[in-house]
């Protein structure tokens, strides 16, 4: 498979920006990246600063909305797009509970627009890779793992919109023979994650000695994957995954939320002068429909393509905490405007 003009949607977001940086460093990718991002509150051009200069002729940015079908078709034609890696989405469960509409528009209709544009490219189109989540499978009890055969049972407007988009991608393969792959991944963490999500929110609040809001009893379990491991898995699937297939991606790192928050407190205590941050842990009202446990079986990806995560949760978390403490300009940049409005709306003062 040779990709010449790869559209990466949502490339200014957390995972998309890590992916673009990762891909430009790979010897087995020689094509050009066309980053299409509408720059919502979650999209930050600073996540990719300097890239155009460092990789001349290899990277282009379009500020564009995937909900705008005509615009998508024009970019596909102008740039002779022959592959897509689709990250762009509304991605935060709590926001989907407060404002679900944007999730249907971007995640479902936006994906549909891209699939139609890809179909319009005919034989020249080589791959549509769709980046999705393990949340489509719903919630697990204390035992068991999500496999690719687990029935979809999404519980939040976010996961329902991602599930709908997964089904559309699958249908375009079955009906129109569009070359597709789908990956369903567990919770990511690492540099450039917007601090509405658990790990960066807790690191920044622990740094600033602000309350650490833990939902419910803090015993909900997520499987965690360091973002660079996710990028490697996606590129592995894009290169060698069977077309029309879905691959689960996981970190082998199941953790209760409270254990993560305590690890963050203890690590920040070591790195900064003030101590005793566990006192900041504050149990707050639970999220409605809060999934209890996610856990991923990624045996298919390991067996077929040899991928496994490289980072342990402890080493990945330590790197991530160090990054957030060192990159003050970035954290100050995101801690304004839309971020402040959200914190006020969701957590109160
Ligand atoms: P993010 O919220 O950090 O970034 C989303 C990006 O999409 C932003 O740059 C935003 O500007 C852009 N975007 C939003 N709406 C758009 C629109 N209408 N048109 C164009 N661009 C738009 O998200 P993320 O955490 O980087 O997640 C990326 C993808 O990975 C999503 O599809 C998400 O469902 C999936 N995923 C995320 C995780 C996770 O833990 N973060 C885990 C598994 C899967
Ligand atoms: P989050 O990072 O929002 O990811 P997701 O909901 O997609 O799994 O949340 C991860 C877990 O952390 C989830 O169980 C909810 C919990 N959580 C808190 O306890 N407090 C918070 O302030 C946030 C944002 C999340």
């Amino acid at each position: 498979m040779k990709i010449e003009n790869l559209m990466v949607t949502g490339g200014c977001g957390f995972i998309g920006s890590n992916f673009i940086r990762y891909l430009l460093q790979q010897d087995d990718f020689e094509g050009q990246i066309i980053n299409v991002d509408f720059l919502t509150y979650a999209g930050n051009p600073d996540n990719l600063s300097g890239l155009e200069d460092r990789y001349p002729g290899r990277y282009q940015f379009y500020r564009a909305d995937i909900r705008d079908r005509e615009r998508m078709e024009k970019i596909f034609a102008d740039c002779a797009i022959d592959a897509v890696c689709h990250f762009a989405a509304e991605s935060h469960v709590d926001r989907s509970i407060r404002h679900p509409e944007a999730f249907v528009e971007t995640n479902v209709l936006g994906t549909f627009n891209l699939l139609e544009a890809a179909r319009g490219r005919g034989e020249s189109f080589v791959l549509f890779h769709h980046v999705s989540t393990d949340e489509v499978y719903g919630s697990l009890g204390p035992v068991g793992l999500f496999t690719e055969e687990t029935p979809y049972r999404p519980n939040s407007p976010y996961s329902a919109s991602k599930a709908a988009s997964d089904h559309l991608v699958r249908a375009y393969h079955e009906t129109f023979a569009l070359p597709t792959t789908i990956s369903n991944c567990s919770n990511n963490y690492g540099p450039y994650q917007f601090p509405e999500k658990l790990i960066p929110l807790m690191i920044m609040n622990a740094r600033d000695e602000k309350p650490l809001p833990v939902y419910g009893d803090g015993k909900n379990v997520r499987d965690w994957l360091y973002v660079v491991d996710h990028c490697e898995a996606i590129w592995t699937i894009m290169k060698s995954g069977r077309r029309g297939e879905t691959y689960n991606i996981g970190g082998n790192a199941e953790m209760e939320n409270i254990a993560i928050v305590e690890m963050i407190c203890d690590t920040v205590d070591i790195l900064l002068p003030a101590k005793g941050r566990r006192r900041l842990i504050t149990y707050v009202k639970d999220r409605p429909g809060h999934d209890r446990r996610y856990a991923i079986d990624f045996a298919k990806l390991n067996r077929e393509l040899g991928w496994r995560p490289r980072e342990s949760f402890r080493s990945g978390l330590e790197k991530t905490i160090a990054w957030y403490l060192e990159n003050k300009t970035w954290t100050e940049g995101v801690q304004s405007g839309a971020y402040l409005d959200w914190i006020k709306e969701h957590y109160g003062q």
Side-chain angles (χ1 to χ4, degrees):
M1 173 200 63
K2 189 156 170 24
I3 296 175
E4 279 174 12
N5 298 309
L6 172 66
M7 176 185 285
V8 174
T9 68
C12 294
F14 162 50
I15 308 177
S17 61
N18 277 284
F19 180 74
I20 290 175
R21 222 173 296 104
Y22 170 86
L23 193 55
L24 286 170
Q25 288 165 19
Q26 303 309 304
D27 292 336
D28 53 7
F29 177 70
E30 291 173 353
Q32 206 195 131
I33 293 179
I34 295 95
N35 175 9
V36 169
D37 195 304
F38 193 45
L39 300 180
T40 67
Y41 77 93
N44 183 350
D46 289 349
N47 294 358
L48 289 169
S49 57
L51 224 68
E52 262 148 312
D53 299 337
R54 212 170 320 138
Y55 297 96
R58 301 279 316 275
Y59 173 77
Q60 273 186 67
F61 174 67
Y62 284 83
R63 179 164 195 222
D65 187 342
I66 62 167
R67 292 171 295 184
D68 181 344
R69 177 139 163 217
E70 267 177 38
R71 185 87 200 280
M72 288 306 113
E73 282 178 357
K74 182 155 181 7
I75 298 173
F76 269 73
D78 289 351
C79 300
I81 297 297
D82 55 7
V84 172
C85 185
H86 177 33
F87 294 94
E90 290 290 341
S91 70
H92 186 37
V93 174
D94 293 314
R95 284 184 196 256
S96 82
I97 295 167
R98 287 182 184 268
H99 308 289
E101 199 171 331
F103 288 73
V104 177
E105 288 176 3
T106 287
N107 300 1
V108 186
L109 293 176
T111 302
F112 165 74
N113 290 338
L114 294 168
L115 287 166
E116 277 293 293
R119 185 159 82 94
R121 299 286 301 153
E123 293 292 305
S124 67
F125 194 77
V126 295
L127 179 65
F128 189 104
H129 181 76
H130 179 59
V131 180
S132 191
T133 166
D134 60 355
E135 302 191 25
V136 297
Y137 298 122
S139 185
L140 287 166
V143 293
L145 301 168
F146 297 135
T147 73
E148 290 81 358
E149 270 67 55
T150 303
Y152 274 31
R153 290 186 60 140
N155 290 319
S156 70
Y158 163 65
S159 53
S161 67
K162 291 297 291 187
S165 63
D166 294 8
H167 291 320
L168 278 172
V169 175
R170 186 176 183 283
Y172 270 64
H173 176 74
E174 297 298 322
T175 305
F176 304 116
L178 190 76
T180 62
T181 43
I182 300 176
S183 52
N184 293 89
C185 184
S186 56
N187 287 58
N188 283 218
Y189 66 99
Y192 302 104
Q193 186 168 30
F194 191 77
E196 63 188 352
K197 306 275 167 59
L198 179 78
I199 289 182
L201 179 94
M202 295 297 169
I203 297 172
M204 285 167 58
N205 283 13
R207 178 197 68 186
D208 299 341
E209 297 187 69
K210 289 188 178 153
L212 306 173
V214 174
Y215 298 163
D217 64 3
K219 293 190 189 301
N220 297 64
V221 172
R222 300 288 181 264
D223 173 60
W224 292 91
L225 182 68
Y226 190 63
V227 64
V228 180
D229 280 335
H230 188 189
C231 296
E232 185 179 46
I234 291 170
W235 183 229
T236 303
I237 295 167
M238 288 178 72
K239 283 184 297 188
S240 314
R242 285 183 291 139
R243 281 16 187 177
E245 290 289 316
T246 284
Y247 293 88
N248 280 352
I249 309 174
N252 251 344
E254 274 185 63
M255 300 286 298
E256 283 185 353
N257 294 337
I258 187 65
I260 297 177
V261 178
E262 287 175 354
M263 278 170 82
I264 292 173
C265 288
D266 297 349
T267 310
V268 177
D269 274 356
I270 294 169
L271 297 172
L272 293 182
K275 306 292 166 210
R277 283 179 173 75
R278 285 192 188 199
R279 75 180 188 291
L280 301 168
I281 294 173
T282 311
Y283 288 91
V284 299
K285 192 162 158 289
D286 209 354
R287 170 190 283 173
H290 193 175
D291 288 337
R292 191 65 173 166
R293 175 171 167 262
Y294 302 146
I296 276 266
D297 178 351
F298 61 85
K300 178 177 173 183
L301 179 55
N302 179 249
R303 195 177 54 245
E304 289 189 14
L305 307 180
W307 178 90
R308 59 170 50 256
R310 294 177 192 273
E311 204 73 52
S312 73
F313 184 69
R314 183 165 288 281
S315 65
L317 187 67
E318 280 171 4
K319 277 191 197 173
T320 304
I321 293 172
W323 189 89
Y324 276 87
L325 298 185
E326 281 160 17
N327 286 274
K328 269 210 123 174
T329 315
W330 187 89
T331 55
E332 276 164 12
V334 296
Q335 262 180 315
S336 60
Y339 169 80
L340 289 179
D341 294 342
W342 168 250
I343 295 295
K344 210 154 46 173
E345 177 181 350
H346 186 55
Y347 299 98
Q349 296 301 335

